[in-house]
Amino acid sequence: MSSQPESPNAMPPAAGPAALEPAVAQRLKRDSAGLVAAVVQQFDSGEVLMLGWMDDEALHRTLTSGRVTFYSRSRQEYWRKGDTSGHVQFVKSVALDCDGDALLVRVDQVGAACHTGTRTCFDGRDLGAVAGHRPSSDDGPALDS
């Protein structure tokens, strides 16, 4: 048995990943690669920080460690936010959306969330959409959807 600590990026053992609770696993709707989108939000301000991807193992690690672990689609390995940058995400809560195909991970973010060094992955990237508005009572009847 090795005395070296397991790398947080190590793939799960051949026997299979650590067990995600069956009740949680059954509720997940994964994409064709077995992944679920994870929206990361600052717990106290509501600021949306980034989007990452999780499989069952990454979600299990996130739920049980207090730190956020993602699965990298490009590198095909696990990565725990902050291990190389120091920009750690401490888990405050994790929720599954009503369809089971997205997670909301509320965190206490230390430093930048984006790999580019910005606070969020959305800073300075506005696409200039036309802003809609809610009709007031002076605008006539509400539109049916």
Side-chain angles (χ1 to χ4, degrees):
M1 182 166 209
S2 171
S3 62
Q4 294 290 337
E6 178 183 328
S7 164
N9 299 334
M11 294 297 289
L20 185 61
E21 288 187 32
V24 174
Q26 290 175 345
R27 294 172 58 196
L28 292 176
K29 290 185 184 166
R30 301 158 192 84
D31 68 9
S32 60
L35 303 174
V36 175
V39 177
V40 181
Q41 180 184 43
Q42 176 63 33
F43 83 100
D44 53 358
S45 69
E47 180 179 35
V48 176
L49 301 171
M50 62 177 287
L51 173 76
W53 297 92
M54 293 185 183
D55 65 1
D56 287 21
E57 175 66 18
L59 179 55
H60 173 76
R61 292 181 188 192
T62 299
L63 292 172
T64 60
S65 71
R67 296 267 309 273
V68 181
T69 297
F70 298 102
Y71 185 78
S72 170
R73 297 176 300 167
S74 60
R75 295 187 311 267
Q76 296 189 342
E77 68 180 13
Y78 296 103
W79 59 281
R80 191 168 66 173
K81 186 70 174 169
D83 279 353
T84 57
S85 67
H87 299 163
V88 177
Q89 293 175 340
F90 293 104
V91 176
K92 294 297 183 180
S93 67
V94 180
L96 185 61
D97 81 338
C98 60
D99 295 323
D101 61 0
L103 298 161
L104 177 61
V105 184
R106 300 185 78 224
V107 303
D108 189 6
Q109 175 71 47
V110 175
C114 187
H115 72 281
T116 65
T118 57
R119 170 73 181 162
T120 84
C121 292
F122 302 99
D123 286 347
R125 296 170 180 90
D126 190 284
L127 298 179
V130 173
H133 72 281
R134 181 187 303 212
S136 69
S137 59
D138 297 338
D139 289 338
L143 299 175
D144 290 334
S145 52

